[in-house]
Amino acid sequence: MMGILTLYTSYKEKSIFLVAHQKDPAGMDPDDIWQLSSSLKRFDDQYTLRMTFISGSSKHQREIEFTKSVAHFFDENGTLVMDLYETDVSKLHDSLSSEKKLK
């Protein structure tokens, strides 16, 4: 049973930790889908965050990501500085949102 679960999480979920559905304001088109996934390799300090936007109407998928050192998001006491992390996530979202409006 654990083998099946491992295969599912490795190949289907692909490190996705958030799936959000954005409702169409008019209620006519299917929901747009936003996904967040991350990766951090063993013994490496480089953290990768990937944001994916899937259009509900066209099913077209766009991705954007950043890779930064884990130390960038923590202070000297080892506490997560949420403002820094939130700023980078917002930049990813804004970048994908502006692409969506241009098309």
Side-chain angles (χ1 to χ4, degrees):
M1 187 64 176
M2 282 303 294
I4 294 171
L5 183 59
T6 300
L7 284 172
Y8 180 80
T9 57
S10 297
Y11 295 103
K12 177 65 177 157
E13 289 183 351
K14 299 178 184 169
S15 302
I16 296 171
F17 64 89
L18 174 80
V19 176
H21 292 259
Q22 182 178 359
K23 302 276 185 201
D24 178 39
M28 301 297 287
D29 291 330
D31 297 349
D32 293 332
I33 300 171
W34 294 86
Q35 296 176 341
L36 279 175
S37 61
S38 64
S39 63
L40 180 66
K41 294 182 178 158
R42 190 173 181 181
F43 304 117
D44 192 6
D45 72 328
Q46 296 299 307
Y47 173 72
T48 301
L49 180 69
R50 177 177 299 113
M51 184 176 287
T52 306
F53 173 78
I54 304 169
S55 173
S57 56
S58 68
K59 300 299 182 206
H60 186 265
Q61 180 174 324
R62 290 189 316 277
E63 289 184 353
I64 191 168
E65 68 179 42
F66 72 75
T67 300
K68 291 189 178 181
S69 173
V70 173
H72 174 76
F73 301 111
F74 290 88
D75 63 11
E76 62 277 350
N77 297 323
T79 304
L80 176 66
V81 181
M82 196 61 180
D83 292 338
L84 292 175
Y85 186 74
E86 190 175 310
T87 300
D88 286 339
V89 172
S90 294
K91 286 178 186 176
L92 288 179
H93 179 267
D94 294 344
S95 177
L96 279 178
S97 293
S98 64
E99 284 181 27
K100 184 175 84 169
K101 291 176 185 174
L102 292 175
K103 295 183 180 187

